[in-house]
Amino acid sequence: MKGTVLYDVKDGIAILTVDNPPVNPLSDGVRTGLFESLVKAEEDSSVSGVVLTGNGRAFIAGADISEFGGNVEGVSLNEVFNKLEYCTKPVVAAINGIALGGGLETALCCNYRIADKKAFVGLPEVNLGLLPGGGGTQRLPRLVGPGEALKMMLSGGHVPATKALHMGIVDKISENVVEDAMTFIKEVSESVENHPKVRDKNEKMIEARGDDKVMLEAQALAAKTRKGQFAPGQIIKCVESAINLDDFDEGLKKEGEYFLECLLHPQREAMIHMFFGERAASKISDVPKDTKVMDIKKAGIIGSGTMGGGIAMCFANAGIPVHIIDQDQDNLARGISVIEKNYDFMVGRGKLTQDQKDAVFGLVSSSLDYKDVSDCDIVIEAVYENLELKHEIFKSLDEHVKGDAILASNTSGLDIDSIASVTKRPEKVVGTHFFSPANIMRLLEVVRGDQTSNETLATIMAIGKKLKKAAVVSLNAPGFIGNRMLFGYTAQANMLLLEGALPHQIDQALESFGLNMGPFRMMDLVGLDLGWRARKLGGKESPLHAKIGDELCEQNRYGQKNGAGYYNYSEGSRAPNPAPENEATYEKISAENGFTRRDISDEEIVDRCILALINEGADILSEGVAQRAADIDVVYINGYGFPIWRGGPMHHANAMGLDVVIEKLNKYREITGNDVYKPSEMLLKLAESGERLGEAPAKEDRKEKLDFEMSSVANNF
Ligand code: 3H9
């Protein structure tokens, strides 16, 4: 059994300490331990009360997520919660640290709650496609009211102890929770006869009856922030039951039914796959766990544009001083003022206080001289994509920055080995590809050069965690993981346009599938002119899939930046309006290239775009460019707006069944004659043996990875 509960008696108080490192989830051993310890405390006549706490930095981080979807052994959580709530002696939860999900639900079954001032609580089950099924949907609204409870459960956010006190979730804040809980229990066991139970607090439920406003607000919040997800609606139904049913146990029963529906729903599996996927991504198979990690005390950024500024904010937000260098004083002043405006915006929205802003903005310094980053532990170059320019910058950095510092490039597709080759420290050179806006987007693609050392990689993964990023390692290959897949996907969207579908139809079909933004809205946002200009400069002809986009550029339609692209935009607005005037261009280019435009179904649109992602993803995996299929999912969900509830493109393929994937690939290869749909060898092999996409093959079995010189992907970035 996993985990245990330590039992101790001091001054007539039983102290139960959950011990299941590192974060004390309620695994089978903990549930059994809790149940048996409570029986022991009840039976011991010298014990007058119980204090429940956790070992280490957590109180309890919730149910054991690895148990969902399998057979659960031992005492059930319900039995433990029942025992706790009806304990014959008063119980105080001494919340020493993290109390999430089933952890907070445990505390809500205790008579009293005292929290350490650094502790935090929350019900984040919605992030796993679940609802708080240990009574959380019934007890929390009774303490804080249905509106606040719904906000907490629909956001899944963490609530710091001081706010939890203010909301009424905890009764007291303390710096010494166990001792204070013991003193408290002695006081109340003498002065109070009936110790309070959250289940009995009905006032806020009765008050809320007949008032639709809270429910309507919750539905609007769920529609806005959790589009396509199943669990939020279930959470709302649970709270409705809490309000409308007189009997608490009837509400609990409803919660159990709705929880089971979530548990059996494919979204639950997809979202839990993501939870473990993100944690697995931070581990690099051939880098030992105990690899030394450098302490990053100061960071430098080269380039004060959008990316440089965003990356600087990430370091400052994590409390790390950061120095920005630009070659132009005006650019630098503009860049720094954008950073300040971003922080001011956060103050305006109540996300930072003025003091906090002053402190965090105070960590950002800037100048024009490379000497000023000489003492940095890491310097990240974030200038535009030009290999010669990056070579120059890295040569200068190598000269000016202390010898043991890491030199990183934010390139989205250039060859890291080539960049490393101009330095005398290739083992310290690595790609750190942030996504725009860097202070908001969670993805960090870490590009491992041929000579990047284990220490450099381990340090970058550690700093990624500190910056609150989802860091994923990619080998150095054209387009790395994300942009290489994106290339195939947008190319197929463009082919569908050539064959007869219209941009808004393609966007709507993929947005209904769950993507944040359809490909044409995205291309308009990025700018259609980037590839077109590069091709013009290089004297290259437009590839078939880019012919329509390039023709639109010839007509001065560059996308959002000048108000016209695949869509039209009104001044100052990002909302896409149809552009019927483009249709003649679509027809002309289709005809010139031998396509008879046809009606294309939404199903074909989704299949073809998503299959292009999956097939390329399988190649990326078979080359070992990504370590595992889940890493690709982490990239696509955190960087490219793939719906988390589908678990990422590779999980989606596994869920569809790889035999079905191959059948569809063959079908579209036949319809289009396009080799993009030639099933990847890895897919064929796995489908034949009935396996799923998982780990990359061993080194000796890998397909050769793409070459920067040869790749069409590289030429597009
Ligand atoms: C629930 O409670 C349902 C109930 O309402 C009803 C039931 C009927 N279980 O994230 P970290 C592992 S649903 C199992 O790197 P941090 C994690 O995989 C649950 N394992 O640390 C990792 O393992 P490894 C509701 C768990 O400091 C290690 O612990 N609760 C669990 O950055 C360290 O994790 C949640 O959703 C778990 N519950 O962040 C909370 N939690 O080392 C989920 C963690 O092998 N957890 N692990 O990679 C978190 O949000 C973060 O882990 C936490 C710590 C904030 C706690």
Side-chain angles (χ1 to χ4, degrees):
M1 282 207 281
K2 210 169 131 206
T4 186
V5 173
L6 312 171
Y7 185 89
D8 193 13
V9 178
K10 267 193 205 153
D11 291 342
I13 308 286
I15 301 165
L16 277 50
T17 308
V18 177
D19 188 22
N20 191 14
V23 289
N24 301 331
L26 292 157
S27 314
D28 48 4
V30 173
R31 295 193 302 273
T32 306
L34 278 173
F35 192 88
E36 288 173 355
S37 303
L38 287 164
V39 172
K40 207 161 151 186
E42 280 183 331
E43 284 173 355
D44 185 344
S45 58
S46 72
V47 165
S48 61
V50 178
V51 170
L52 173 56
T53 192
N55 219 354
R57 63 194 171 101
F59 173 67
I60 296 170
D64 185 333
I65 301 170
S66 63
E67 288 182 356
F68 292 121
N71 287 332
V72 178
E73 310 251 311
V75 184
S76 75
L77 208 51
N78 275 344
E79 287 170 280
V80 176
F81 286 175
N82 216 28
K83 188 88 211 140
L84 197 53
E85 196 163 45
Y86 287 104
C87 184
T88 52
K89 299 179 178 170
V91 186
V92 180
I95 304 175
N96 53 303
I98 304 164
L100 296 175
L104 175 57
E105 289 173 310
T106 306
L108 294 179
C109 292
C110 300
N111 302 107
Y112 307 96
R113 287 156 291 283
I114 298 182
D116 183 280
K117 66 175 188 206
K118 289 204 190 102
F120 58 85
V121 304
L123 293 176
E125 285 85 345
V126 70
N127 296 327
L128 304 170
L130 288 171
L131 58 83
T137 67
Q138 306 301 300
R139 291 191 182 90
L140 188 66
R142 282 176 158 76
L143 276 188
V144 303
E148 286 303 315
L150 278 162
K151 273 188 219 151
M152 241 177 102
M153 291 189 282
L154 293 174
S155 74
H158 297 172
V159 177
T162 40
K163 187 165 177 208
L165 175 70
H166 180 70
M167 290 171 78
I169 301 173
V170 302
D171 305 299
K172 204 175 158 193
I173 301 279
S174 146
E175 288 190 26
N176 212 334
V177 273
V178 175
E179 272 178 29
D180 277 357
M182 287 172 67
T183 312
F184 181 81
I185 227 167
K186 282 182 206 147
E187 281 165 19
V188 291
S189 54
E190 280 163 21
S191 59
V192 179
E193 205 171 310
N194 290 320
H195 299 285
K197 289 187 183 24
V198 177
R199 60 155 52 224
D200 298 331
K201 296 181 189 289
N202 284 326
E203 306 80 12
K204 292 196 162 80
M205 300 298 91
I206 294 165
E207 231 172 75
R209 273 183 202 164
D211 179 4
D212 286 350
K213 197 168 151 246
V214 169
M215 290 302 147
L216 293 173
E217 279 173 4
Q219 276 151 6
L221 181 67
K224 187 169 161 213
T225 58
R226 302 239 167 224
K227 195 177 138 219
Q229 296 187 21
F230 179 68
Q234 302 287 96
I235 291 174
I236 295 172
K237 285 198 279 183
C238 286
V239 175
E240 262 169 350
S241 304
I243 293 172
N244 295 324
L245 296 173
D246 282 323
D247 183 356
F248 179 86
D249 289 311
E250 281 298 309
L252 268 191
K253 208 168 131 211
K254 279 279 166 209
E255 181 192 86
E257 288 166 21
Y258 296 136
F259 180 80
L260 189 63
E261 286 172 13
C262 288
L263 195 63
L264 299 176
H265 199 283
Q267 289 191 5
R268 188 270 308 156
E269 196 187 340
M271 290 170 89
I272 288 186
H273 161 75
M274 244 320 89
F275 177 83
F276 287 117
E278 273 192 16
R279 278 146 187 91
S282 65
K283 296 169 184 120
I284 310 170
S285 2
D286 59 340
V287 174
K289 247 186 176 175
D290 55 359
T291 301
K292 201 176 133 218
V293 169
M294 284 169 63
D295 189 11
I296 303 290
K297 293 198 244 11
K298 184 179 172 192
I301 309 286
I302 307 300
S304 63
T306 314
M307 285 312 294
I311 299 170
M313 286 179 75
C314 295
F315 280 94
N317 295 346
I320 300 170
V322 58
H323 189 87
I324 307 180
I325 301 278
D326 203 297
Q327 57 178 8
D328 180 287
Q329 181 57 44
D330 288 346
N331 278 349
L332 191 57
R334 206 175 310 121
I336 298 294
S337 82
V338 170
I339 296 177
E340 182 158 27
K341 268 191 204 129
N342 284 340
Y343 282 128
D344 284 338
F345 182 74
M346 289 162 80
V347 173
R349 301 202 65 180
K351 298 209 161 151
L352 278 185
T353 62
Q354 186 61 40
D355 284 352
Q356 283 167 330
K357 179 225 146 168
D358 292 343
V360 76
F361 186 57
L363 292 173
V364 181
S365 56
S366 63
S367 69
L368 301 177
D369 193 342
Y370 272 45
K371 282 196 197 107
D372 296 331
V373 288
S374 62
D375 60 341
C376 288
D377 303 296
I378 182 170
V379 180
I380 301 179
E381 162 276 310
V383 303
Y384 62 90
E385 295 291 51
N386 177 307
L387 193 58
E388 284 74 43
L389 175 63
K390 292 192 192 241
H391 280 163
E392 258 176 53
I393 291 174
F394 273 74
K395 269 187 215 155
S396 292
L397 288 176
D398 201 26
E399 219 174 88
H400 288 99
V401 183
K402 63 180 184 179
D404 58 349
I406 292 177
L407 304 182
S409 172
N410 180 51
T411 178
S412 61
L414 296 176
D415 182 353
I416 286 295
D417 290 333
S418 166
I419 295 173
S421 71
V422 303
T423 72
K424 290 187 212 74
R425 56 178 111 176
E427 76 289 354
K428 294 275 180 193
V429 177
V430 65
T432 49
H433 179 204
F434 289 78
F435 284 66
S436 184
N439 50 316
I440 292 172
M441 296 288 282
R442 283 194 67 226
L443 181 61
L444 173 61
E445 242 180 350
V446 176
V447 186
R448 177 181 197 171
D450 271 353
Q451 297 190 58
T452 310
S453 70
N454 285 353
E455 189 190 61
T456 301
L457 275 173
T459 303
I460 295 293
M461 298 314 272
I463 198 76
K465 181 154 189 180
K466 208 159 182 192
L467 304 190
K468 298 203 166 75
K469 299 290 173 197
V472 176
V473 178
S474 165
L475 286 190
N476 181 38
F480 311 138
I481 298 173
N483 279 342
R484 174 162 159 199
M485 287 168 73
L486 181 73
F487 172 71
Y489 163 86
T490 46
Q492 281 320 297
N494 279 313
M495 289 307 295
L496 286 157
L497 173 59
L498 259 179
E499 291 169 41
L502 290 172
H504 69 266
Q505 185 201 354
I506 299 171
D507 283 350
Q508 272 165 17
L510 286 156
E511 284 166 19
S512 298
F513 172 83
L515 278 142
N516 268 354
M517 190 185 274
F520 291 94
R521 282 176 60 204
M522 187 190 71
M523 287 185 263
D524 265 2
L525 177 69
V526 174
L528 309 184
D529 56 325
L530 300 181
W532 169 70
R533 280 184 211 283
R535 280 186 282 278
K536 278 204 134 176
L537 262 177
K540 287 196 190 112
E541 222 189 281
S542 315
L544 188 57
H545 64 83
K547 286 208 187 288
I548 290 183
D550 284 1
E551 174 60 28
L552 292 181
C553 289
E554 296 290 346
Q555 297 168 15
N556 235 5
R557 301 184 69 98
Y558 300 153
Q560 270 191 30
K561 62 174 78 166
N562 69 343
Y566 289 107
Y567 297 95
N568 291 327
Y569 301 86
S570 330
E571 179 96 35
S573 162
R574 287 169 180 270
N577 301 308
E581 65 271 39
N582 283 349
E583 288 178 24
T585 305
Y586 304 154
E587 275 159 28
K588 177 176 145 261
I589 305 279
S590 294
E592 279 173 8
N593 290 284
F595 290 96
T596 309
R597 292 180 70 79
R598 64 183 170 96
D599 283 342
I600 298 181
S601 69
D602 288 358
E603 186 191 348
E604 180 174 344
I605 291 170
V606 171
D607 273 354
R608 281 179 56 187
C609 291
I610 302 301
L611 285 168
L613 280 183
I614 294 171
N615 212 26
E616 192 71 51
D619 270 351
I620 288 173
L621 191 62
S622 58
E623 293 164 20
V625 169
Q627 301 184 84
R628 46 185 94 79
D631 284 18
I632 299 177
D633 291 332
V634 174
V635 166
Y636 242 73
I637 286 174
N638 290 294
Y640 296 85
F642 200 90
I644 185 170
W645 48 270
R646 289 198 190 267
M650 309 320 270
H651 177 83
H652 182 60
N654 282 333
M656 255 199 281
L658 298 188
D659 48 346
V660 176
V661 171
I662 285 169
E663 203 179 292
K664 283 177 181 258
L665 283 167
N666 284 331
K667 175 176 133 189
Y668 291 113
R669 191 177 179 204
E670 207 175 301
I671 293 177
T672 62
N674 194 330
D675 267 355
V676 164
Y677 298 114
K678 181 174 172 221
S680 144
E681 274 169 37
M682 176 178 247
L683 284 175
L684 289 169
K685 228 159 119 192
L686 292 174
E688 199 177 274
S689 55
E691 289 170 271
R692 290 160 69 96
L693 289 156
E695 296 291 312
K699 258 192 182 137
E700 57 279 13
D701 298 328
R702 286 181 191 165
K703 223 174 115 176
E704 204 172 313
K705 73 179 164 77
L706 280 185
D707 189 300
F708 276 88
E709 295 302 311
M710 313 293 290
S711 161
S712 58
V713 183
N715 297 334
N716 279 281
F717 289 96

